[in-house]
Amino acid sequence: MEIFKDIDDLRASLKNETTIAFVPTMGNLHAGHLALVNRAKQLSDCVVVSIFVNRLQFLPHEDFEQYPRTVSDDCKSLSGFNVNRVFVPDEKILFPTPQEFLLALPPVADTLEGKFRPGFFQGVATIVLKLFNIIQPGVAIFGKKDYQQLYVIREMVRQLNIPVEIIACETIRTSDGLALSSRNRYLDAVQRKEASQLYQTLVQTKNEIASGNTDFRALQQHAEDRLRQRGWSVDYLSIHQRNTLLPAETLDTDLVILGAAWLGKTRLIDNLEI
Ligand code: AMP
């Protein structure tokens, strides 16, 4: 496995590759990330994983500074997975001058996560586009864990005619249902036990819909109330159409329930397709 910090060295090493499978990450790798790597390996012999904590997608008061940085452990995990190349650029490499060109995003990026984290998807889309331009992959693998992010990236690729196929992987969870996330390490023991209730609430809501309840507003309210009563601070718990991410109206389209809520100072997100 080769570790690259420099763009030109990485590109030189990729010059003769035909299909590159790319997995962008912010590091602190867990089994969720490694599932994406596994999928990438099925798709190509040449897998590139990037590790970069992207300042552009953090608001000033968010956890950019505290975000766990564990590059040497990450590289150990990846070498066990037979990954060919890891791209670990410093900020100065990706942003030699301030990143003034930023993508303008469609209205969907101002909903859900975008409403609570203004500028988040602009930061994500801009860095992903930069990484696509640097690595020029044929396929890129993203997790459904970040459902709206996956949607925004798919739309970016479609609307900007970027020649990359986007592949989605299912969310990897612990045995009690909590979606794996680098931010789970911020939870104390009591919060960790409670954390799976976000997923359990999504499951309950899904079961309600499956048994014929289509009063989506009431279901959302009920789900949010349930979490609040348990001590969560809820940003949203909301039922949407999968193909547009617009609010759900009928059961005639495929739906997804998306949620974001705080346990103490830790913000967790999750979702469940119906
Ligand atoms: P991050 O390092 O959090 O930016 O995530 C990098 C990629 O891993 C994104 O495509 C995420 O959606 C994906 N990912 C994160 N957690 C999980 C998980 N629990 N299961 C599957 N994919 C995940």
Side-chain angles (χ1 to χ4, degrees):
M1 185 178 82
E2 282 184 278
I3 300 170
F4 296 88
K5 283 183 171 281
D6 185 77
I7 294 173
D8 290 341
D9 294 346
L10 175 66
R11 291 190 69 153
S13 97
L14 293 171
K15 206 174 57 199
N16 297 322
E17 298 291 349
T18 42
T19 309
I20 299 164
F22 173 45
V23 182
T25 81
M26 297 207 299
N28 194 236
L29 301 183
H30 51 61
H33 298 111
L34 296 175
L36 309 190
V37 173
N38 230 357
R39 186 80 187 91
K41 291 188 49 155
Q42 292 164 357
L43 296 166
S44 173
D45 288 337
C46 176
V47 172
V48 180
V49 176
S50 67
I51 299 175
F52 182 67
V53 184
N54 170 33
R55 189 186 287 276
L56 299 179
Q57 70 191 66
F58 288 79
L59 285 166
H61 63 272
E62 290 184 338
D63 58 343
F64 175 75
E65 300 296 343
Q66 300 104 285
Y67 197 86
R69 288 158 172 88
T70 52
V71 173
S72 58
D73 285 350
D74 294 344
C75 289
K76 265 186 220 140
S77 310
L78 291 172
S79 65
F81 260 74
N82 262 340
V83 167
N84 323 52
R85 295 170 180 87
V86 187
F87 182 43
V88 193
D90 288 336
E91 277 201 304
K92 277 194 287 288
I93 297 286
L94 285 190
F95 307 130
T97 58
Q99 184 69 31
E100 294 173 332
F101 281 84
L102 298 164
L103 279 173
L105 267 58
V108 68
D110 297 325
T111 68
L112 299 164
E113 281 301 283
K115 183 170 162 204
F116 290 89
R117 305 183 69 190
F120 171 72
F121 289 115
Q122 182 180 58
V124 170
T126 303
I127 200 73
V128 170
L129 181 59
K130 280 171 75 90
L131 290 167
F132 282 180
N133 285 333
I134 291 167
I135 293 162
Q136 304 193 356
V139 290
I141 299 92
F142 290 84
K144 287 190 187 179
K145 159 77 169 43
D146 300 281
Y147 204 87
Q148 191 181 10
Q149 169 174 289
L150 172 65
Y151 182 87
V152 167
I153 299 294
R154 279 195 195 285
E155 277 303 290
M156 174 180 84
V157 162
R158 189 178 70 81
Q159 293 194 26
L160 296 179
N161 306 92
I162 301 171
V164 180
E165 186 187 353
I166 303 299
I167 305 282
C169 278
E170 296 301 327
T171 301
I172 305 297
R173 303 177 179 282
T174 56
S175 56
D176 63 351
L178 175 65
L180 297 188
S181 163
S182 305
R183 290 190 168 99
N184 293 349
R185 62 159 56 192
Y186 300 153
L187 300 167
D188 65 28
V190 175
Q191 291 170 334
R192 169 60 193 85
K193 200 151 178 269
E194 175 62 23
S196 65
Q197 290 300 321
L198 177 58
Y199 176 66
Q200 300 308 336
T201 305
L202 297 175
V203 171
Q204 283 189 8
T205 309
K206 176 174 170 162
N207 291 343
E208 282 284 332
I209 296 170
S211 63
N213 187 344
T214 56
D215 188 346
F216 299 123
R217 273 171 172 261
L219 285 170
Q220 287 168 194
Q221 192 60 52
H222 178 74
E224 290 191 5
D225 289 346
R226 178 180 187 274
L227 285 172
R228 287 196 180 106
Q229 278 157 17
R230 302 185 65 93
W232 294 67
S233 170
V234 182
D235 280 353
Y236 60 85
L237 205 137
S238 196
I239 306 162
H240 289 256
Q241 302 171 35
R242 279 197 229 172
N243 60 352
T244 58
L245 284 195
L246 291 170
E249 281 166 7
T250 67
L251 273 180
D252 295 338
T253 51
D254 289 333
L255 302 178
V256 57
I257 319 167
L258 301 120
W262 296 79
L263 262 184
K265 290 195 164 84
T266 305
R267 187 172 185 276
L268 301 177
I269 66 168
D270 203 351
N271 65 80
L272 193 58
E273 291 181 330
I274 301 173

